């Protein structure tokens, strides 16, 4: 069973945590992680793009000229696709980009991402952020003490940890995720993953 140091906001080790091997000790499944991230990013697309067909653009009710005898190509409407201002052929229309991913695959992708972060030594566990009131200054000091200054960080906190959220939210390169909202994309899209001890217990309870 793997263990990891638990640090405080001053960057000092205050204990150790045993990590569940079923969550942090598996061989990362790159294929499942790719499928999950791809589906997640696709679901963010609004799909509200729309173009007008020849039946939807304004005008063009009258035939431009008679069918025969002019020497020109026959035309039925000035709103056909080959005319300027005409309709669009095969243009995009509103649609859903959602892709189906099974629940077991989603959980496997999360476990794979967490195991990969531990294996790459990009996981830090902090016992807590003892902010009585929101303080960006204290948040900056904590990042500096943990050696994370200037790095792109994903911070996983407790669902009710409002003071921590408000303290870090204005900092550049810091992505704050409540533990109930963790997802494969945000676990991977960083240089360092920081998890509070409370959030770590919740993750192991859900994914183990």
């Amino acid at each position: 069973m793997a263990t990891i140091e638990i640090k405080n906001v001053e960057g000092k080790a205050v204990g150790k945590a045993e990590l569940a091997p079923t969550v942090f000790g598996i061989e990362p499944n790159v294929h499942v992680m790719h499928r999950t991230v791809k589906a997640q990013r696709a679901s963010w697309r609004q799909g509200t793009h729309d173009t007008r067909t020849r039946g939807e653009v304004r005008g063009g009710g009258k035939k431009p000229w008679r069918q025969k005898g002019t020497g020109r190509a026959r035309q039925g409407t000035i709103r056909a696709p080959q005319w300027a201002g005409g309709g669009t052929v095969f243009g995009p229309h509103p649609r859903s980009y959602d892709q189906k991913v099974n629940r077991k695959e989603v959980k496997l992708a999360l476990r794979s991402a967490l195991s990969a972060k531990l294996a790459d030594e990009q996981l830090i566990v902090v016992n807590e952020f003892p902010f009585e009131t929101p303080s960006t200054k204290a948040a900056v000091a904590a990042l500096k003490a943990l050696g994370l200054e200037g790095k792109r960080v994903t911070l996983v906190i407790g669902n009710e940890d409002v003071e921590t959220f408000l303290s870090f939210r204005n900092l550049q390169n810091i992505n704050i995720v409540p533990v109930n909202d963790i997802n494969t994309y945000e676990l991977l899209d960083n240089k360092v993953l920081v998890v509070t001890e409370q959030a770590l217990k919740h993750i192991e309870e859900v994914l183990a």
Side-chain angles (χ1 to χ4, degrees):
M1 181 179 287
T3 60
I4 191 170
E5 278 190 346
I6 300 176
K7 298 182 179 181
N8 59 16
V9 292
E10 297 174 354
K12 298 177 181 178
V14 292
K16 289 190 175 182
E18 292 186 349
L19 301 176
T22 55
V23 180
F24 292 92
I26 69 170
E27 180 69 27
N29 191 319
V30 178
H31 173 68
V32 171
M33 284 194 291
H34 176 262
R35 268 177 44 80
T36 305
V37 170
K38 185 179 176 183
Q40 184 180 343
R41 297 189 69 185
S43 69
W44 292 342
R45 298 183 67 176
Q46 288 184 318
T48 54
H49 41 32
D50 196 14
T51 52
R52 293 183 180 182
T53 64
R54 61 184 291 169
E56 295 172 326
V57 291
R58 186 184 178 114
K62 181 183 177 183
K63 188 173 174 67
W65 50 76
R66 66 189 187 194
Q67 183 80 346
K68 294 177 177 292
T70 65
R72 290 181 286 186
R74 55 195 175 188
Q75 300 291 332
T77 172
I78 62 171
R79 289 298 174 251
Q82 71 270 22
W83 285 74
T88 301
V89 184
F90 303 129
H93 298 289
R95 54 164 289 195
S96 171
Y97 284 92
D98 289 349
Q99 299 176 17
K100 185 180 186 317
V101 181
N102 296 328
R103 289 184 195 175
K104 288 185 178 180
E105 287 184 297
V106 172
K107 285 193 172 184
L108 176 57
L110 288 170
R111 289 195 289 265
S112 295
L114 292 167
S115 296
K117 282 296 177 183
L118 178 64
D120 294 339
E121 297 182 351
Q122 294 181 351
L123 177 66
I124 294 177
V125 178
V126 178
N127 61 344
E128 63 175 345
F129 291 100
F131 302 139
E132 295 181 0
T133 58
S135 172
T136 303
K137 183 178 180 180
V140 171
L143 290 174
K144 189 172 183 180
L146 293 167
L148 302 177
E149 196 173 19
K151 294 184 179 180
R152 196 166 78 253
V153 177
T154 294
L155 176 61
V156 181
I157 62 175
N159 297 312
E160 307 298 330
D161 200 351
V162 179
E163 286 73 20
T164 301
F165 175 82
L166 295 175
S167 298
F168 283 94
R169 67 175 177 174
N170 288 330
L171 296 180
Q172 192 175 17
N173 296 328
I174 306 296
N175 181 28
I176 314 159
V177 184
V179 66
N180 275 355
D181 296 333
I182 61 171
N183 55 79
T184 307
Y185 176 80
E186 290 183 298
L187 290 181
L188 294 172
D189 187 35
N190 54 70
K191 291 298 183 183
V192 180
L193 177 64
V194 179
V195 183
T196 63
E197 190 174 9
Q198 176 190 359
L200 179 66
K201 292 177 181 177
H202 184 84
I203 288 171
E204 291 189 326
E205 287 175 5
V206 173
L207 297 179

